[in-house]
Amino acid sequence: MTVKLNEKDKRMLQGEYGKATKLAMSILVRMAEVYGAEEMMDVALAHIDGVGLLSEASLEFAETLATLGGRVAIPTTLNMVPLDIQQWEKWKIPEDYAHRALRQIRAYINMGCIPTCTCAPYQGYLTPRFGQQIAWAESNAIVYANSVLGARTNRYGDYIDICAAITGRVPKYGLHLKANRRGQLLLRLVDIEPAWMKSDTFYPLLGHFLGRTAGDKIPVIEGLPAQVTDDQLKALGAAAASSGAVALFHAVGVTPEAHTLEEAFQNEPPEGVIDVHPDDLVAAQKELSTAEADAPLDAVVLGCPHFSFTEFQQLAQIIQAQGGQSIHSGVQFVVLTNQLTLSLLQRSNLITLLTSFGIQIVLDTCDFHCPILHSETKVIMTNSGKQAYYAPGELGVQVALGTMADCVRSAIKGRVVRSETPWTES
Ligand code: F3S
């Protein structure tokens, strides 16, 4: 099928806007052909994941575009990058790796990207609006933008993201179109006490189940409390986009395209109905927890996706409740976040409490892309479904998934301390 191009698209393809734009547009037109899109459309914002993974090819691609005069046409934020820009020396990162990573980041900044360096761009700068057409990469950011904010993006991948940013155009298909945002599967929460939904492990476990069950379909959740927080929805979406390819979920009475069940399904019947029982969540926790209870603990990793200021406030409260105890000498306690949140922390009264407890605050990056954890790390603990899902494969470690409070108590004791059911405190 030939893609219908407007005059500006054609001029971009012919090179009138420079070589980088020509290259970016030719990649996007090819993508439109692959997906069977009939035409191109404008996007208002972009978020770049391609800056995070460092390889010879990724560096060459970014530097080539920048050298060819590539410039983003729309406000464009950066995802996490391959190192903590300010304090990478502290993490014993090989100099050659660091210099190539810094060159890659510089190439994107030179193209006009905003160096937010976070995988939670929706909790910072340039949060998309309801209905806004955007081109975002990074799976957890995509599902949050679509589901919680009601912005519209497909699951853009590395390198297509910067092409969309340079041209401000994408193929018109998929989740950019309202008809394709209709709910497909109904998930009903059954026998789950409202109190359980306050536990911070409830959301990653539900997300893990959601991803496993829905795959790439659009699930509609019935039964979530209206008071669910942004951080809880962040945890749910990140887990669902890891165990499955969920790019959009609706939660009836919570998310903006699902005021009612009928609205979520656009007045069509669901393709299937699945009941979620407490046992499903217990099973999800077992699946995500490969470490034995009581196993010696090497590290705690929080902030996957990047920690928000309100999550730091919760963590500080939990630490305060431990009555001055500090982290076990054999445990590394890492919290991943971004520069914006750190500046809020530095203005608050929390930073001294957190660092004197022994917490290492890591900016801009991710433990899967940067060697932050000690090389001898064998067992980690986290409250993140996404971290728990990928860590065995990415880091070769065993994982325990628990609440934030479980993580703090385990860090103090130096071993995994966790309740058997996800919603009771240990
Ligand atoms: Fe962010 Fe890395 Fe987790 S990119 S979402 S901290 S896996």
Side-chain angles (χ1 to χ4, degrees):
M1 180 193 292
T2 312
V3 185
K4 205 161 74 193
L5 301 176
N6 68 19
E7 281 313 305
K8 189 171 176 190
D9 293 336
K10 288 179 193 162
R11 292 210 303 274
M12 286 196 256
L13 257 189
Q14 284 156 3
E16 284 185 37
Y17 289 82
K19 288 181 178 168
T21 308
K22 179 179 178 174
L23 175 61
M25 195 62 190
S26 64
I27 292 170
L28 289 165
V29 170
R30 181 72 192 109
M31 181 188 175
E33 288 164 357
V34 169
Y35 284 97
E38 291 178 13
E39 57 183 321
M40 307 294 287
M41 58 177 282
D42 286 338
V43 278
L45 301 172
H47 182 69
I48 307 295
D49 187 58
V51 68
L53 182 68
L54 182 64
S55 67
E56 288 305 322
S58 66
L59 178 58
E60 188 183 339
F61 185 69
E63 289 192 330
T64 301
L65 281 176
T67 309
L68 291 176
R71 236 6 240 178
V72 296
I74 51 179
T76 300
T77 44
L78 289 183
N79 203 46
M80 68 88 207
V81 295
L83 42 62
D84 179 331
I85 296 173
Q86 276 121 126
Q87 42 179 9
W88 61 266
E89 283 105 334
K90 196 170 134 187
W91 304 103
K92 300 198 182 93
I93 292 168
E95 280 208 15
D96 175 55
Y97 174 92
H99 289 141
R100 285 185 301 118
L102 292 169
R103 268 172 54 196
Q104 183 161 293
I105 299 162
R106 179 57 49 199
Y108 281 98
I109 292 174
N110 286 346
M111 286 191 270
C113 298
I114 305 162
T116 42
C117 304
T118 183
C119 51
Y122 41 84
Q123 289 184 312
Y125 183 62
L126 278 178
T127 305
R129 296 192 306 272
F130 177 78
Q132 200 167 30
Q133 300 285 3
I134 62 174
W136 270 24
E138 164 56 48
S139 66
N140 97 82
I142 292 163
V143 69
Y144 193 97
N146 274 319
S147 314
V148 183
L149 304 175
R152 297 186 183 185
T153 179
N154 284 320
R155 281 169 63 99
Y156 289 100
D158 291 10
Y159 318 127
I160 291 287
D161 46 16
I162 186 67
C163 295
I166 287 174
T167 58
R169 302 282 282 169
V170 293
K172 190 173 181 179
Y173 79 104
L175 294 176
H176 288 296
L177 307 174
K178 184 170 190 288
N180 297 332
R181 300 174 66 84
R182 182 173 71 77
Q184 292 167 300
L185 293 177
L186 174 60
L187 273 91
R188 299 184 298 203
L189 302 182
V190 176
D191 295 336
I192 296 174
E193 300 284 337
W196 300 344
M197 297 188 204
K198 291 190 179 148
S199 161
D200 61 342
T201 46
F202 174 77
Y203 293 89
L205 294 180
L206 179 62
H208 182 73
F209 179 83
L210 206 64
R212 278 265 182 266
T213 316
D216 62 356
K217 290 200 185 293
I218 300 172
V220 176
I221 312 166
E222 191 180 43
L224 279 188
Q227 308 76 3
V228 57
T229 67
D230 290 353
D231 288 322
Q232 290 167 334
L233 293 171
K234 166 170 95 166
L236 191 162
S242 302
S243 62
V246 175
L248 164 64
F249 67 84
H250 299 296
V252 180
V254 174
T255 58
E257 290 166 78
H259 292 99
T260 63
L261 208 54
E262 293 71 30
E263 186 187 17
F265 284 105
Q266 296 185 15
N267 297 311
E268 299 281 333
E271 292 172 17
V273 180
I274 296 160
D275 288 340
V276 189
H277 297 274
D279 282 356
D280 295 315
L281 303 182
V282 173
Q285 189 175 40
K286 288 211 166 89
E287 209 174 306
L288 288 173
S289 296
T290 51
E292 299 287 326
D294 236 26
L297 183 65
D298 298 308
V300 169
V301 180
L302 304 181
C304 172
H306 281 176
F307 235 38
S308 66
F309 184 75
T310 48
E311 288 174 306
F312 272 116
Q313 285 178 313
Q314 286 163 22
L315 179 60
Q317 269 181 8
I318 294 167
I319 291 170
Q320 266 167 337
Q322 307 308 311
Q325 299 183 83
S326 55
I327 294 172
H328 188 277
S329 59
V331 177
Q332 188 183 5
F333 197 129
V334 167
V335 183
L336 307 164
T337 191
N338 51 59
Q339 171 81 67
L340 220 56
T341 304
L342 178 70
S343 22
L344 295 176
L345 272 182
Q346 284 166 332
R347 282 191 163 181
S348 76
N349 54 355
L350 302 181
I351 191 109
T352 313
L353 173 84
L354 296 165
T355 49
S356 37
F357 180 65
I359 284 174
Q360 297 173 319
I361 297 173
V362 180
L363 300 184
D364 311 320
T365 193
C366 164
D367 56 328
F368 297 156
H369 293 268
C370 181
I372 296 161
L373 299 181
H374 300 147
S375 53
E376 61 276 14
T377 300
K378 291 189 185 65
V379 177
I380 72 164
M381 189 159 188
T382 182
N383 68 344
S384 157
K386 179 169 183 176
Q387 183 74 202
Y389 183 82
Y390 286 118
E394 293 283 341
L395 303 172
V397 296
Q398 294 187 312
V399 187
L401 180 80
T403 62
M404 200 190 288
D406 285 341
C407 291
V408 170
R409 283 193 288 265
S410 301
I412 291 169
K413 295 210 161 98
R415 58 188 174 79
V416 174
V417 182
R418 181 164 65 68
S419 50
E420 278 317 301
T421 49
W423 40 82
T424 49
E425 295 288 320
S426 55

Coordinates of all heavy atoms in Angstrom, one line a residue, residues 222-274:
E222 N -12.1 -3.9 36.6 CA -13.2 -3.4 37.4 C -13.0 -3.7 38.9 O -12.7 -4.9 39.2 CB -14.5 -4.2 36.9 CG -15.8 -3.6 37.5 CD -17.0 -4.3 37.0 OE1 -17.0 -5.6 36.9 OE2 -18.0 -3.7 36.6
G223 N -13.1 -2.7 39.7 CA -12.9 -2.9 41.1 C -11.8 -2.2 41.8 O -11.6 -2.3 43.0
L224 N -11.0 -1.4 41.0 CA -9.9 -0.7 41.7 C -10.5 0.5 42.4 O -11.5 1.1 42.0 CB -8.9 -0.1 40.7 CG -7.8 -1.1 40.1 CD1 -6.8 -0.3 39.3 CD2 -7.1 -1.8 41.2
P225 N -9.9 0.9 43.6 CA -10.5 2.0 44.3 C -10.2 3.3 43.6 O -9.2 3.5 43.0 CB -9.7 1.9 45.7 CG -8.5 1.2 45.4 CD -8.8 0.3 44.2
A226 N -11.2 4.2 43.7 CA -11.0 5.6 43.1 C -9.8 6.3 43.7 O -9.2 7.2 43.0 CB -12.2 6.4 43.3
Q227 N -9.4 5.9 44.9 CA -8.3 6.7 45.5 C -6.9 6.1 45.1 O -5.9 6.5 45.7 CB -8.3 6.5 47.1 CG -9.6 6.9 47.7 CD -10.7 5.8 47.6 OE1 -10.5 4.8 47.0 NE2 -11.9 6.2 48.1
V228 N -6.8 5.2 44.2 CA -5.5 4.6 43.8 C -4.6 5.8 43.4 O -5.0 6.8 42.8 CB -5.7 3.6 42.6 CG1 -6.4 4.2 41.5 CG2 -4.4 3.0 42.2
T229 N -3.3 5.7 43.8 CA -2.4 6.8 43.6 C -1.7 6.7 42.3 O -1.6 5.6 41.7 CB -1.3 6.9 44.7 OG1 -0.5 5.7 44.6 CG2 -1.9 6.9 46.1
D230 N -1.1 7.8 41.8 CA -0.3 7.7 40.6 C 0.9 6.7 40.7 O 1.2 6.0 39.7 CB 0.3 9.1 40.3 CG -0.7 10.1 39.9 OD1 -1.9 9.7 39.8 OD2 -0.4 11.3 39.9
D231 N 1.5 6.7 41.9 CA 2.6 5.7 42.0 C 2.1 4.3 42.0 O 2.8 3.4 41.4 CB 3.3 6.0 43.3 CG 4.2 7.2 43.3 OD1 4.8 7.5 42.3 OD2 4.2 8.0 44.3
Q232 N 0.9 4.0 42.5 CA 0.4 2.6 42.4 C 0.1 2.3 40.9 O 0.3 1.2 40.5 CB -0.8 2.5 43.3 CG -0.5 2.5 44.8 CD -1.6 2.7 45.7 OE1 -2.7 3.3 45.3 NE2 -1.5 2.3 46.9
L233 N -0.5 3.2 40.2 CA -0.8 2.9 38.8 C 0.5 2.8 38.0 O 0.6 2.0 37.0 CB -1.7 4.1 38.2 CG -3.1 4.1 38.8 CD1 -3.8 5.4 38.4 CD2 -3.9 2.9 38.4
K234 N 1.5 3.5 38.4 CA 2.8 3.4 37.7 C 3.4 2.0 37.9 O 3.8 1.4 37.0 CB 3.8 4.4 38.4 CG 5.2 4.3 38.1 CD 6.0 5.5 38.6 CE 6.6 5.3 40.0 NZ 7.6 6.3 40.3
A235 N 3.2 1.5 39.1 CA 3.7 0.1 39.5 C 2.9 -0.9 38.7 O 3.5 -1.9 38.2 CB 3.7 -0.1 41.0
L236 N 1.7 -0.7 38.6 CA 0.8 -1.7 37.9 C 1.1 -1.7 36.4 O 1.4 -2.8 35.9 CB -0.7 -1.2 38.1 CG -1.8 -2.2 37.7 CD1 -3.1 -1.7 38.4 CD2 -2.1 -2.3 36.2
G237 N 1.2 -0.6 35.8 CA 1.5 -0.5 34.4 C 2.9 -1.0 34.0 O 3.0 -1.8 33.1
A238 N 3.9 -0.7 34.9 CA 5.2 -1.2 34.6 C 5.3 -2.7 34.6 O 6.0 -3.3 33.7 CB 6.2 -0.6 35.6
A239 N 4.6 -3.3 35.6 CA 4.6 -4.8 35.7 C 3.9 -5.4 34.5 O 4.3 -6.4 33.9 CB 4.0 -5.2 37.0
A240 N 2.7 -4.8 34.1 CA 1.9 -5.3 33.0 C 2.7 -5.2 31.7 O 2.5 -6.1 30.8 CB 0.6 -4.6 32.9
A241 N 3.5 -4.2 31.5 CA 4.2 -4.0 30.3 C 5.5 -4.9 30.2 O 6.1 -4.9 29.2 CB 4.6 -2.5 30.1
S242 N 5.8 -5.5 31.4 CA 6.9 -6.4 31.4 C 6.5 -7.8 31.2 O 7.1 -8.5 30.3 CB 7.6 -6.3 32.8 OG 8.0 -5.0 33.0
S243 N 5.5 -8.3 31.9 CA 5.1 -9.7 31.8 C 4.3 -9.9 30.5 O 4.1 -11.0 30.0 CB 4.4 -10.2 33.0 OG 3.2 -9.5 33.2
G244 N 3.7 -8.8 30.0 CA 3.0 -8.8 28.7 C 3.4 -7.7 27.9 O 4.3 -7.0 28.2
A245 N 2.6 -7.4 26.8 CA 3.0 -6.3 26.0 C 1.8 -5.2 26.1 O 1.4 -4.6 25.1 CB 3.1 -6.7 24.5
V246 N 1.4 -5.1 27.3 CA 0.2 -4.1 27.6 C 0.7 -2.7 27.3 O 1.7 -2.2 27.9 CB -0.3 -4.3 29.0 CG1 -1.4 -3.3 29.3 CG2 -0.8 -5.7 29.2
A247 N 0.0 -2.0 26.4 CA 0.3 -0.6 26.1 C -0.8 0.3 26.6 O -0.6 1.5 26.7 CB 0.5 -0.4 24.6
L248 N -1.9 -0.3 27.0 CA -3.1 0.5 27.4 C -3.9 -0.4 28.3 O -4.3 -1.5 27.9 CB -3.8 1.0 26.2 CG -5.3 1.6 26.5 CD1 -5.3 2.8 27.4 CD2 -5.9 1.9 25.1
F249 N -4.3 0.1 29.5 CA -5.4 -0.6 30.3 C -6.4 0.5 30.7 O -6.0 1.7 30.7 CB -4.8 -1.3 31.5 CG -4.2 -0.4 32.5 CD1 -5.0 0.2 33.5 CD2 -2.8 -0.2 32.6 CE1 -4.5 1.0 34.5 CE2 -2.3 0.7 33.5 CZ -3.1 1.2 34.5
H250 N -7.5 0.1 30.9 CA -8.5 1.0 31.5 C -8.9 0.5 32.9 O -8.9 -0.8 33.1 CB -9.8 1.0 30.7 CG -9.6 1.4 29.2 ND1 -9.2 2.7 28.9 CD2 -9.7 0.8 28.1 CE1 -9.1 2.8 27.6 NE2 -9.4 1.7 27.1
A251 N -9.2 1.4 33.8 CA -9.6 1.0 35.2 C -10.9 1.8 35.4 O -10.9 3.0 35.4 CB -8.6 1.3 36.2
V252 N -12.0 1.1 35.5 CA -13.3 1.7 35.5 C -13.4 2.6 36.7 O -13.1 2.3 37.9 CB -14.5 0.6 35.6 CG1 -15.8 1.3 35.6 CG2 -14.3 -0.3 34.4
G253 N -13.8 3.9 36.4 CA -14.0 4.9 37.5 C -12.7 5.5 37.9 O -12.6 6.4 38.8
V254 N -11.6 5.1 37.2 CA -10.3 5.6 37.6 C -9.5 6.3 36.5 O -9.1 7.5 36.6 CB -9.4 4.5 38.2 CG1 -7.9 5.0 38.4 CG2 -10.0 3.9 39.4
T255 N -9.5 5.6 35.3 CA -8.7 6.2 34.2 C -9.6 7.0 33.2 O -10.8 6.7 33.2 CB -7.9 5.1 33.4 OG1 -8.9 4.1 33.0 CG2 -6.9 4.4 34.4
P256 N -9.1 7.9 32.5 CA -9.9 8.9 31.8 C -10.8 8.4 30.7 O -11.7 9.2 30.2 CB -8.9 10.0 31.4 CG -7.6 9.2 31.3 CD -7.6 8.2 32.3
E257 N -10.5 7.2 30.1 CA -11.4 6.8 29.0 C -12.3 5.7 29.5 O -12.8 4.9 28.7 CB -10.5 6.3 27.9 CG -9.8 7.4 27.2 CD -8.7 6.9 26.2 OE1 -9.0 6.5 25.1 OE2 -7.5 7.0 26.6
A258 N -12.5 5.6 30.9 CA -13.3 4.5 31.4 C -14.1 5.0 32.6 O -14.1 4.4 33.7 CB -12.3 3.4 31.9
H259 N -14.9 6.1 32.4 CA -15.7 6.5 33.5 C -16.7 5.4 33.8 O -17.2 5.3 35.0 CB -16.5 7.8 33.1 CG -15.5 9.0 33.0 ND1 -15.0 9.4 31.7 CD2 -14.9 9.8 33.9 CE1 -14.2 10.4 31.9 NE2 -14.1 10.6 33.2
T260 N -17.2 4.7 32.8 CA -18.1 3.6 33.0 C -17.5 2.4 32.2 O -16.7 2.5 31.3 CB -19.5 3.9 32.4 OG1 -19.3 4.1 31.0 CG2 -20.1 5.1 33.1
L261 N -18.1 1.2 32.5 CA -17.7 0.0 31.8 C -18.0 0.2 30.3 O -17.2 -0.2 29.4 CB -18.5 -1.2 32.4 CG -17.9 -2.6 32.3 CD1 -16.6 -2.6 32.9 CD2 -18.9 -3.5 33.1
E262 N -19.2 0.7 30.0 CA -19.6 0.9 28.6 C -18.6 1.8 27.9 O -18.3 1.5 26.7 CB -21.0 1.6 28.6 CG -22.1 0.7 29.1 CD -22.1 0.5 30.6 OE1 -21.7 1.4 31.3 OE2 -22.5 -0.6 31.1
E263 N -18.2 2.9 28.5 CA -17.2 3.8 27.9 C -15.9 3.0 27.6 O -15.3 3.1 26.5 CB -17.0 5.0 28.8 CG -16.1 6.0 28.0 CD -15.7 7.2 28.9 OE1 -15.7 7.1 30.1 OE2 -15.2 8.2 28.3
A264 N -15.5 2.2 28.6 CA -14.2 1.5 28.4 C -14.3 0.5 27.2 O -13.3 0.4 26.5 CB -13.8 0.7 29.7
F265 N -15.4 -0.1 27.0 CA -15.6 -1.1 25.9 C -16.2 -0.4 24.7 O -16.6 -1.1 23.7 CB -16.4 -2.3 26.4 CG -15.7 -3.2 27.3 CD1 -15.9 -3.2 28.6 CD2 -14.7 -4.0 26.7 CE1 -15.2 -4.1 29.4 CE2 -14.0 -4.9 27.5 CZ -14.2 -4.9 28.9
Q266 N -16.4 0.9 24.7 CA -17.0 1.7 23.6 C -18.3 1.0 23.2 O -18.6 0.8 22.0 CB -16.0 1.8 22.4 CG -14.8 2.6 22.8 CD -13.8 2.9 21.7 OE1 -14.2 2.7 20.5 NE2 -12.6 3.3 22.0
N267 N -19.1 0.6 24.2 CA -20.4 0.0 24.0 C -20.4 -1.3 23.2 O -21.5 -1.7 22.7 CB -21.3 1.1 23.3 CG -21.5 2.3 24.1 OD1 -21.9 2.2 25.3 ND2 -21.3 3.4 23.5
E268 N -19.3 -2.0 23.2 CA -19.2 -3.3 22.6 C -19.1 -4.3 23.8 O -18.6 -4.0 24.9 CB -18.0 -3.5 21.7 CG -17.9 -2.5 20.6 CD -18.8 -3.0 19.4 OE1 -19.0 -4.2 19.3 OE2 -19.3 -2.1 18.6
P269 N -19.4 -5.6 23.6 CA -19.2 -6.6 24.7 C -17.7 -6.9 24.8 O -17.0 -6.9 23.7 CB -20.0 -7.8 24.2 CG -20.2 -7.6 22.7 CD -20.1 -6.2 22.4
P270 N -17.3 -7.3 26.0 CA -15.9 -7.7 26.1 C -15.6 -9.0 25.3 O -16.5 -9.9 25.2 CB -15.6 -7.9 27.6 CG -17.0 -8.0 28.2 CD -18.0 -7.3 27.3
E271 N -14.4 -9.2 24.9 CA -14.0 -10.5 24.2 C -13.9 -11.7 25.2 O -14.0 -12.8 24.8 CB -12.7 -10.3 23.4 CG -12.8 -9.4 22.3 CD -11.4 -9.1 21.6 OE1 -10.5 -9.8 21.9 OE2 -11.3 -8.1 20.9
G272 N -13.7 -11.3 26.4 CA -13.5 -12.3 27.4 C -13.6 -11.7 28.8 O -13.4 -10.5 29.0
V273 N -14.0 -12.5 29.8 CA -14.1 -12.0 31.2 C -13.2 -12.9 32.1 O -13.3 -14.2 32.0 CB -15.6 -12.1 31.7 CG1 -15.7 -11.6 33.1 CG2 -16.5 -11.3 30.8
I274 N -12.4 -12.3 32.9 CA -11.5 -13.1 33.8 C -11.6 -12.6 35.2 O -11.6 -11.4 35.4 CB -10.0 -12.9 33.3 CG1 -9.9 -13.5 31.9 CG2 -9.0 -13.6 34.3 CD1 -8.7 -13.0 31.1

